[in-house]
Amino acid sequence: MDFALQYPYLIPLLPLIGAIIAGFFGARFLKGQSHWPIWLGVGAAAVLSLTLLVHALGLHEEPLKFSYTWFQWIKLGGSADGALGQPGKSFLVNFGYYFDPLTSVMLAVVCGIGFFITVFAAGYMKGEGGYYRFFAYLGLFIFMMTNLVMGENLIMLYLGWEGVGLCSYLLIGYYYDKPAAREAAKKAFLVNRIGDFGFALGIMLCFSAFGTVSYFGDPAVAGDGLLEMAAAGNLTEYQTCALTFIPFLLMVGAFGKSAQFPLYVWLPDAMEGPTPVSALIHAATMVTAGIYMIARCGSLFVGNEAAMITVAAVGAFTAIFAGFIALRQFDLKKVFAYSTVSQLGFMFVGVGVLAPVAAVFHLVTHAFFKALLFLSSGVVMHAMNGILDLRQMSGLKEVLPKTRWLMLIGCLALAGMVPFSGFFSKDEIIHAAEHGALHGHIGRLILTVVLLATAFMTAYYTFRLYFRVFEGPLKVPEAPADAHGHGGHGHDDHGHGGHDSHGHGDHGHHNHEPMIMIAPLAVLAVGALLAGFLNWPVHGLGHFLGESESFKLAYKVASARFAELDPVPMGQPSSEAHGLVNAVMVISFVIAALGIFTAYVFHLKDRALADRKAAGMPAVTSLLDGKFWVDEIFIAGIVEPLRMFGKVLWNIDKYLVDGIVAAVGWTPQLGGWVLKLGVQRGSLQGYAAAMLFGVVVILVLVFM
């Protein structure tokens, strides 16, 4: 256990070493074994992370709190002493890490779930071209993500923030020969840059106002960290003014990275990447970075009521908006992609209503069940020749019996059924929204109704997918003429090359559920089933997270701002007793059950009924099928005007700028050509006379 405390830098370093080995030696030497460096690197990082978490859980009197500095990374300008915490001083940034309960929980999620996804990926990606490249990207992603959650300052967080964005671009565009994958990668990269611009401005304003970007500053100096100064009561007028804008700038970055309206548009298209990428980056880790950042920097946010209302309102709107779109999606991964956007909205509501414990709790449970659902979709895709259209399949429980049960567990957790993990974490957010200290009575009522309506839709579209795919009469999609799985990207030798030639009657002769793909799902299913008990019936996770300095400082600021603040949602002890079961839990259960029953009626009992209902509401159906035409609005309002502006600039450059440059070159040529016509006639005497005349002119000019 001491090893993890003495060498915590190994947690990001080992996946990086694995990525370097896979990247440089995979193509020539490792080839189909390129997953081993990543397995070993990420696996060892997962063991160290869990060791750190267990150690932190065992600390009862003094919570986990220490920092580790590798070296001083940046020092710019300022005075000679360069002391932190003083406006106008040097811009100092350490390449260092900070560890507390929040860090240990995030590391366990990133490295633990990340490891199981890499195991699954070895089976799923077997035989793919660029196998080594895929695993090198995965290792690099884990390295960046661990830096994001371990960094001891905003610059380290920003390094990881941009690093995971780069890895996301590389992994979404893994099938770079597909135009859709290339466009999706570019879209993710560009949309995230919009949010990152605001995030960068927020970091600059933090330094401008407080003179540091370190969360907690020098351990030897009390109160010189950014979050500590923001929680202090002796703010200057400039610092108070800066705290009006800092939360809004930082939340723009969070909205982009965590796919909130209107910057969510990149995430559904990102499903063009391989399914393990969808599970790792777009469900369990990267998209939760915005939630982590707000929870970590709580003291910068909670004193600004307008900012918190904005976070909660955008989260609630995104949750129900994405839920509506998911109702009419027919691609398995797209259903779960919009579900991810919706669930991230729940988490934003959690941090927005001063319940960061509930938000992080839902982040943990969501990582388990959404990774499980995405990987289960990967098994279906693997077995169905790359086809994911749920209208083309039915009754697959006969073909994929293990996957059926595993996906059922994931669906029950996502739908919020008792006793699966999603029920408890989702209930905490709804309960916090109903009893929050801000937003007023009407605001709380609106938030609660929106979240309950979203919960109903979540249960409905989740079981719409399950009933359509796994229940009912057996229907297996016909293999496309060029089918070789994974959306058109082939397998050379992994036992599915037969998809090109065998008929669907052959499904029984192939093992569509190899152990290397099913075993990780089984582990994730256990988490999807049991993770809810991390914070129920006692608030174990809440008490643990509440020991983080970030949560304590946020509570200090919030309690000074809001008189009737409940300390429990912020992880702080309370003298008031909280019941094990509340009215919201009962209502949530009933709503989830109604959603599942409605899905049963429309998509199992009488599937034609759903089609008839849809045909009877053409306007609504068209609106949902068009996904509210948000992409089209973006294209018409932003993309096309920018493209036209680019064409104008291109024409100016081509015809005006290049024309002037060319004219400068053509003028002497034209002059020479004219002189050639008028002067060069083969008369040597004339040339000599002209030269003599020229010499005379030069001499006159020189001596005059």
Side-chain angles (χ1 to χ4, degrees):
M1 199 166 286
D2 291 341
F3 185 82
L5 297 175
Q6 292 175 0
Y7 307 101
Y9 57 84
L10 291 177
I11 294 174
L13 186 61
L14 291 172
L16 177 63
I17 293 173
I20 292 172
I21 294 174
F24 283 97
F25 302 103
R28 189 175 181 85
F29 300 107
L30 295 174
K31 298 181 179 177
Q33 303 300 316
S34 297
H35 54 270
W36 276 106
I38 305 304
W39 278 9
L40 294 174
V42 178
V47 171
L48 290 173
S49 300
L50 292 174
T51 303
L52 198 66
L53 177 62
V54 171
H55 173 77
L57 289 169
L59 298 175
H60 299 295
E61 296 182 358
E62 189 68 26
L64 180 71
K65 179 184 175 183
F66 74 98
S67 57
Y68 183 92
T69 301
W70 269 27
F71 53 86
Q72 188 180 80
W73 182 17
I74 302 172
K75 181 178 181 182
L76 295 173
S79 63
D81 60 358
L84 285 171
Q86 297 298 319
K89 300 293 184 181
S90 297
F91 179 67
L92 294 178
V93 177
N94 290 328
F95 197 99
Y97 301 128
Y98 179 79
F99 297 89
D100 67 354
L102 177 60
T103 310
S104 60
V105 169
M106 291 298 297
L107 282 177
V109 171
V110 171
C111 296
I113 292 181
F115 171 69
F116 290 111
I117 291 175
T118 60
V119 173
F120 176 91
Y124 183 84
M125 300 297 290
K126 188 175 182 181
E128 291 276 1
Y131 186 78
Y132 73 97
R133 178 165 53 88
F134 177 78
F135 279 92
Y137 292 162
L138 284 187
L140 187 62
F141 171 80
I142 297 290
F143 165 70
M144 290 297 181
M145 193 67 202
T146 50
N147 272 293
L148 190 154
V149 300
M150 291 169 59
E152 66 98 35
N153 55 65
L154 286 174
I155 300 299
M156 286 292 293
L157 186 145
Y158 195 72
L159 170 71
W161 194 275
E162 292 298 328
V164 294
L166 171 65
C167 295
S168 175
Y169 170 78
L170 295 172
L171 286 165
I172 295 169
Y174 176 76
Y175 298 130
Y176 57 81
D177 54 340
K178 287 175 60 180
R182 293 198 300 269
E183 292 301 318
K186 285 192 291 185
K187 188 175 183 179
F189 190 81
L190 293 175
V191 172
N192 271 283
R193 297 292 76 70
I194 297 172
D196 293 355
F197 179 68
F199 189 38
L201 291 179
I203 294 174
M204 294 177 196
L205 188 55
C206 284
F207 177 75
S208 173
F210 295 97
T212 180
V213 290
S214 175
Y215 299 141
F216 303 105
D218 186 347
V221 181
D224 68 337
L226 169 65
L227 302 183
E228 295 166 317
M229 285 191 280
N234 55 346
L235 297 176
T236 65
E237 185 177 348
Y238 177 52
Q239 289 172 333
T240 304
C241 180
L243 283 176
T244 305
F245 300 99
I246 286 172
F248 287 98
L249 292 171
L250 295 181
M251 81 171 68
V252 173
F255 289 162
K257 193 64 73 184
S258 295
Q260 294 298 285
F261 185 88
L263 301 179
Y264 73 94
V265 292
W266 64 272
L267 196 145
D269 287 4
M271 297 302 116
E272 290 293 334
T275 297
V277 174
S278 305
L280 177 63
I281 297 181
H282 306 125
T285 54
M286 188 184 85
V287 292
T288 62
I291 311 298
Y292 166 77
M293 185 269 288
I294 296 178
R296 168 62 75 195
C297 302
S299 59
L300 297 175
F301 280 83
V302 297
N304 189 328
E305 186 173 1
M308 301 309 287
I309 291 174
T310 304
V311 170
V314 171
F317 179 77
T318 304
I320 195 166
F321 183 78
F324 272 118
I325 296 177
L327 295 176
R328 285 288 297 176
Q329 294 299 303
F330 295 96
D331 183 300
L332 269 72
K333 287 175 66 176
K334 286 290 180 68
V335 173
F336 291 133
Y338 282 104
S339 166
T340 298
V341 175
S342 180
Q343 296 304 305
L344 288 167
F346 267 86
M347 297 176 209
F348 272 92
V349 172
V351 292
V353 299
L354 302 176
V357 168
V360 176
F361 183 27
H362 199 51
L363 183 157
V364 173
T365 62
H366 180 264
F368 278 108
F369 62 72
K370 191 52 67 67
L372 171 63
L373 290 170
F374 267 117
L375 296 185
S376 299
S377 299
V379 177
V380 174
M381 186 179 183
H382 198 260
M384 298 295 119
N385 304 303
I387 295 173
L388 283 170
D389 190 334
L390 55 86
R391 291 168 295 192
Q392 299 185 40
M393 57 187 76
S394 173
L396 295 190
K397 64 183 180 183
E398 298 179 24
V399 182
L400 302 168
K402 298 172 186 171
T403 307
R404 174 265 187 116
W405 287 112
L406 292 167
M407 184 170 269
L408 179 59
I409 292 173
C411 288
L412 288 167
L414 175 59
M417 285 299 291
V418 180
F420 296 88
S421 59
F423 170 77
F424 297 103
S425 56
K426 194 181 299 181
D427 162 70
E428 281 207 15
I429 292 175
I430 299 174
H431 185 264
E434 185 195 17
H435 292 83
L438 68 170
H439 309 117
H441 179 71
I442 299 298
R444 292 198 296 269
L445 179 63
I446 293 173
L447 281 178
T448 305
V449 171
V450 168
L451 294 183
L452 288 174
T454 306
F456 172 80
M457 287 192 289
T458 303
Y460 171 78
Y461 65 66
T462 302
F463 273 84
R464 165 181 174 262
L465 180 151
Y466 173 77
F467 288 138
R468 284 273 181 177
V469 174
F470 289 100
E471 301 294 339
L474 179 63
K475 178 183 177 183
V476 178
E478 292 294 330
D482 58 345
H484 33 259
H486 297 191
H489 288 266
H491 309 263
D492 299 326
D493 59 353
H494 68 332
H496 284 267
H499 279 307
D500 288 337
S501 57
H502 73 69
H504 291 294
D506 293 335
H507 274 282
H509 303 293
H510 294 276
N511 180 16
H512 294 303
E513 299 176 311
M515 185 54 65
I516 195 172
M517 295 169 66
I518 293 299
L521 298 188
V523 176
L524 293 171
V526 172
L529 176 60
L530 300 178
F533 296 102
L534 292 173
N535 208 40
W536 192 89
V538 295
H539 296 281
L541 180 65
H543 293 155
F544 180 62
L545 289 172
E547 293 175 342
S548 296
E549 200 63 21
S550 290
F551 283 63
K552 291 178 181 177
L553 293 173
Y555 177 68
K556 177 183 176 183
V557 176
S559 59
R561 180 73 176 78
F562 306 102
E564 299 179 355
L565 181 67
D566 185 356
V568 173
M570 302 192 76
Q572 305 307 308
S574 172
S575 57
E576 296 183 8
H578 286 66
L580 296 180
V581 180
N582 54 58
V584 172
M585 294 178 81
V586 177
I587 295 171
S588 295
F589 169 75
V590 172
I591 283 180
L594 279 175
I596 294 172
F597 178 73
T598 307
Y600 165 78
V601 171
F602 284 100
H603 300 285
L604 184 59
K605 184 179 180 182
D606 183 5
R607 288 178 174 172
L609 179 61
D611 297 331
R612 291 196 299 273
K613 291 290 183 184
M617 298 182 288
V620 175
T621 304
S622 177
L623 184 67
L624 296 181
D625 286 345
K627 294 170 282 191
F628 294 93
W629 301 296
V630 173
D631 276 316
E632 286 75 7
I633 293 171
F634 268 116
I635 291 173
I638 299 176
V639 176
E640 286 303 324
L642 286 176
R643 186 169 289 164
M644 290 179 63
F645 183 62
K647 286 181 178 178
V648 170
L649 294 179
W650 183 83
N651 283 312
I652 291 174
D653 179 66
K654 181 177 177 63
Y655 295 107
L656 182 60
V657 178
D658 288 356
I660 292 173
V661 172
V664 171
W666 290 341
T667 301
Q669 292 183 29
L670 181 62
W673 183 75
V674 171
L675 289 173
K676 176 183 175 182
L677 293 178
V679 178
Q680 289 188 356
R681 296 179 178 178
S683 173
L684 296 178
Q685 295 87 344
Y687 298 161
M691 185 175 67
L692 180 62
F693 177 74
V695 171
V696 170
V697 170
I698 291 172
L699 290 174
V700 169
L701 292 174
V702 169
F703 292 104
M704 279 186 67

